[in-house]
């Protein structure tokens, strides 16, 4: 295998000051991985029925630490670190003003993270990562979460400013693909997080401070899920950036089509927000027409993922044939199976095939009745988020961190990174597989074993829960391995230059039509679809809220 360093000749280096900002985010992400992962291990042990938490720590407390730190903090910080580096690498070094705004965003998010984490660790906010009312947390937890969101807007604006500057300097030209993708992800994030911001600021904070004694629970859940589904695409799209732009370069090939990649991202922007009701299909108070409409829109958001799968297969096949591959699957053997930067994200891609099929099952109105609130759903998001996305992030970290720290990924670390991914795959197959199967038998998610462990059904679930504990323990070993590699890349790896790989578009690809970068058109469609999918049902919810829930209303 050619080492990363050997390949890295004459490449563009991210400016040191931007690298520092990106790295600050990456540090927080991996600290969150350690604490959140440890709580994940404790959780599967508790659910196996063989272990009791010491010192009065509760199941919901560790479940909240796990969900908030891994689902919200690890992801947001890694994504921001990656995006800042990607924008700086492809659209140019940030200006001092943009970088200062980036730092203000970072510190605002971090102040919020610390405040919220302290409340969760003190058992004052054991409300899980969805913080559904009527579970109530200490007001400091909600203020902390609001600061994380506001900080992400500030940090996001810094990245968008660089894009705007680039477009002004290069009129009529399509922007660098990965910078464009970053801006789509941020646009989606800002539009969707308005929902959770309204919920937290106008409902949860006044309620937790005792200014109002009741809130409209259905409305609060609806505002959460207006945010919650695009949240999962906010996690996914940076993985897609790696798949579309970085992986073709790593395999020595070309990006299949710039236009197709941009179209797929714009389809995510318009279809990923008006679909939150697919998390609320079993909830009363929402007319079934609106649920059905959002199920249809959910099926539309599957299309850009299918486009992505097509594009990836095309990139792989074209490269394989260049290297002499024959037959339908001959290209498979020609891929760089000894390069962790490829293998680790590739396992993530492969996992997304069953994971995506699971998502389609979830979204299919009637089938949702079988799996909703069972541990099948937990199995689903451990395949999507904790395998597809997280393995892609690990694979990216193996070139991103050494690029930013001025070090290299040695052959030994490259080898260890592949072993890490195999450990992860084994652990996750056992854990997520058991979750999917026992979920179909009706085993509940988010339930303390002590509350249901004595029931007759629970006896049938126990073998699967023990399997989850075995898988979870293997996964924790995977976390220790990745943290070891990351620490090595941050502080101990030999000094050297590592490439930030950015693929070139194939010369056979069609020219990118500029309409794909016409924000007026795409944002208008996005807002119209949101208004169409949400206006009437939300008015309905407010007007027809059951008597007890009218104590506090938004308007
Ligand atoms: Fe989901 C629940 C529907 C994708 C995460 N989802 C969740 C929850 C999370 C989550 C965290 O409709 C739980 C929320 C909670 O706490 O309650 N999900 C979908 C659908 C998709 C989907 C339709 N989910 C994701 C992704 C996530 C994620 C991505 C995180 C990153 N999900 C649902 C529904 C629920 C739900 C319901 C609510 C369930 C309930 O009742 O509570 C789709 O986006 C999936 C489309 C994906 C594909 C796959 C394309 C494949 C590709 C790979 C190509 C591979 C290659 C490699 C080229 C169609 C792109 C080649 C490999 C070889 C081996 C050759």
């Amino acid at each position: 295998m050619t080492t990363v360093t050997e390949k890295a000749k004459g490449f563009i280096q991210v400016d040191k000051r931007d690298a520092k900002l990106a790295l600050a985010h990456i540090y927080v992400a991996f600290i969150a991985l350690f604490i959140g992962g440890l709580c994940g291990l404790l959780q599967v042990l508790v659910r196996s029925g063989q272990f009791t938490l010491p010192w009065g720590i509760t199941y919901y407390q560790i479940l909240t630490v796990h969900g908030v730190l891994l689902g919200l903090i690890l992801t947001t910080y890694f994504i921001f670190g990656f995006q800042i580096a990607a924008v700086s690498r492809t659209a140019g070094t940030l200006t001092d003003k943009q970088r200062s705004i980036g730092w203000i965003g970072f510190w605002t998010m971090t102040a919020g993270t610390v405040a919220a984490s302290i409340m969760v660790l003190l058992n004052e906010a054991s409300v899980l990562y969805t913080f559904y009312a009527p579970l109530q947390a200490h007001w400091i937890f909600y203020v902390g979460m609001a600061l994380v969101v506001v900080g992400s807007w500030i940090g996001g604006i810094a990245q968008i400013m660089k894009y705007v500057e680039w477009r002004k300097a290069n009129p009529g030209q399509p922007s660098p693909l990965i910078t464009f993708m970053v801006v789509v992800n941020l646009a989606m994030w800002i539009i969707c997080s308005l929902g959770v911001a309204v919920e937290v600021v106008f409902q949860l904070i006044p309620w937790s401070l005792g200014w109002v004694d009741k809130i409209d629970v259905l409305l609060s859940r609806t505002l959460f899920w207006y945010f919650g589904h695009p949240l999962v695409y906010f996690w996914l799209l940076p993985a897609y950036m790696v798949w579309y732009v970085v992986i073709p370069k790593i395999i020595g090939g070309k990006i299949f089509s710039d236009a197709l990649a941009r179209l797929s991202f714009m389809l995510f922007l318009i279809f990923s927000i008006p679909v939150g009701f697919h998390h609320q299909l079993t909830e009363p108070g929402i007319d079934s027409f609106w649920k059905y409409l959002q199920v249809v829109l959910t099926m539309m958001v599957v299309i850009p993922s299918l486009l992505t799968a097509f594009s990836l297969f095309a990139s792989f096949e074209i490269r394989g044939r260049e290297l002499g591959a024959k037959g339908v699957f001959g290209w498979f053997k020609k891929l760089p199976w000894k390069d962790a930067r490829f293998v680790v994200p590739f396992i993530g891609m492969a996992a997304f095939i069953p994971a995506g099929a699971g998502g389609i099952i979830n979204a299919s109105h009637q089938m949702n009745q079988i799996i909703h609130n069972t541990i099948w759903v937990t199995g689903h998001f451990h395949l999507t988020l904790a395998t597809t996305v997280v393995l892609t992030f690990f694979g990216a970290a193996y070139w991103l961190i050494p690029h930013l720290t001025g070090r290299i990924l040695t052959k030994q670390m490259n080898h260890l990174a592949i072993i890490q991914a195999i450990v992860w795959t084994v652990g996750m197959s056992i854990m997520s597989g058991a979750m999917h199967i026992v979920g179909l038998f009706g085993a509940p998610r988010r339930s303390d074993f002590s509350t249901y462990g004595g029931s007759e059904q629970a006896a049938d679930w126990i073998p699967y829960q023990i399997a989850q504990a075995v898988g979870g323990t293997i996964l924790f070993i995977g976390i220790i391995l990745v943290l070891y590699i990351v620490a090595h890349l941050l502080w101990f790896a030999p000094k050297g230059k590592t490439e930030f790989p950015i693929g070139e578009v194939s010369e056979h690809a069609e020219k990118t039509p500029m309409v794909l970068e016409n924000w007026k058109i795409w944002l208008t469609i996005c807002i119209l679809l949101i208004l169409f999918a949400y206006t009437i049902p939300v008015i309905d919810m407010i007007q027809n809220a059951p008597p007890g829930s009218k104590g506090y209303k938004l308007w």
Side-chain angles (χ1 to χ4, degrees), residues 3-5 8 11-14 16 19 22-23 26-27 30 78 85 339-341 393-410 413-414 417 482 485-501:
T3 65
V4 177
T5 325
F11 57 77
I12 300 168
Q13 179 70 40
V14 169
K16 277 209 170 102
L23 276 172
I26 290 171
Y27 277 119
F30 283 97
F78 187 86
D339 188 339
R341 301 170 308 158
F393 288 179
F394 291 169
Y398 300 147
W399 49 260
L400 179 61
I401 297 178
H403 178 89
L404 299 175
T405 54
R407 296 178 186 273
I408 56 162
L409 180 73
T410 59
M413 283 299 138
N414 179 71
V482 73
I485 303 170
V486 164
H488 189 262
L489 292 173
L490 282 170
W491 302 301
F492 307 112
K495 293 270 180 196
K497 288 186 177 244
T498 297
E499 183 184 16
F500 187 136

Side-chain angles (χ1 to χ4, degrees), residues 27-336:
Y27 277 119
V28 180
F30 283 97
I31 294 170
L33 175 67
F34 176 65
I35 306 173
L38 183 64
C39 289
L41 174 67
L42 295 175
Q43 220 170 275
V44 282
L45 293 178
V46 172
R47 283 186 74 101
S48 71
Q50 317 290 315
F51 175 80
T52 317
L53 288 165
W55 310 309
I57 300 173
T58 70
Y59 172 75
Y60 293 105
Q61 200 177 347
I62 53 167
L63 184 52
T64 307
V65 179
H66 178 70
V68 170
L69 286 188
L70 297 187
L72 303 177
I73 303 302
L74 160 73
T75 47
T76 309
Y77 276 85
F78 187 86
I79 290 167
F80 268 54
F82 169 76
Q83 291 191 165
I84 290 162
V87 169
S88 171
R89 159 74 174 79
T90 56
T93 303
L94 301 185
T95 61
D96 289 348
K97 188 173 165 198
Q98 290 159 357
R99 197 175 310 106
S100 305
I101 296 175
W103 277 110
I104 295 172
F106 170 80
W107 285 115
T108 311
M109 286 206 302
T110 308
T113 303
V114 171
S117 304
I118 291 174
M119 286 302 125
V120 178
L121 293 170
L122 292 175
N123 203 16
E124 291 286 339
S126 297
V127 289
L128 315 186
Y129 87 103
T130 42
F131 40 85
Y132 282 154
L135 288 176
Q136 195 185 56
H138 194 284
W139 63 268
I140 294 179
F141 171 81
Y142 298 122
V143 171
M145 293 319 289
L147 285 176
V148 172
V149 172
V150 172
S152 73
W153 291 344
I154 299 172
I157 283 168
Q159 299 161 46
I160 296 174
M161 281 166 75
K162 185 83 235 167
Y163 167 79
V164 172
E165 185 196 315
W166 191 98
R167 293 226 39 209
K168 276 197 187 134
N170 300 276
Q173 284 186 48
S175 57
L177 181 56
I178 203 163
T179 296
F180 166 84
M181 291 168 153
V182 166
V183 176
V184 175
N185 201 25
L186 288 170
M188 184 182 75
W189 172 252
I190 292 170
I191 297 171
C192 79
S193 53
L194 285 169
V196 75
V198 168
E199 180 201 3
V200 169
V201 173
F202 292 100
Q203 291 193 287
L204 300 178
I205 292 179
W207 177 55
S208 61
L209 281 167
W211 297 344
V212 293
D213 57 0
K214 289 169 188 164
I215 59 169
D216 186 332
V217 169
L218 180 58
L219 183 62
S220 75
R221 292 168 71 99
T222 302
L223 287 168
F224 183 86
W225 285 117
Y226 164 90
F227 155 79
H229 201 74
L231 168 70
V232 314
Y233 295 121
F234 172 69
W235 302 329
L236 181 70
L237 291 192
Y240 276 16
M241 293 176 204
V242 174
W243 298 359
Y244 272 113
V245 181
V246 174
I247 293 291
K249 181 72 194 280
I250 290 176
I251 65 171
K254 294 270 171 69
I255 298 170
F256 172 67
S257 161
D258 177 279
L260 186 127
R262 283 179 208 253
L263 174 66
S264 142
F265 269 63
M266 280 309 194
L267 292 179
F268 271 113
L269 175 67
I270 62 174
F271 288 125
S272 65
I273 304 174
V275 298
F277 285 169
H278 74 220
H279 291 263
Q280 299 176 277
L281 292 175
T282 56
E283 282 179 35
I286 305 170
D287 189 274
S288 50
F289 171 78
W290 298 107
K291 289 181 180 170
Y292 179 73
L293 178 87
Q294 295 210 9
V295 162
V296 172
L297 291 172
T298 306
M299 295 304 166
M300 297 299 286
V301 81
V302 170
I303 293 172
S305 282
L306 296 177
L307 294 181
T308 305
F310 173 81
S311 175
L312 291 168
F313 277 115
S315 286
F316 294 155
E317 183 175 349
I318 292 169
R319 178 62 185 150
R321 292 201 186 283
E322 272 172 15
L323 295 175
K326 300 265 178 304
V328 182
F329 295 110
W331 51 269
F332 191 79
K333 282 194 248 151
K334 301 283 180 190
L335 295 170

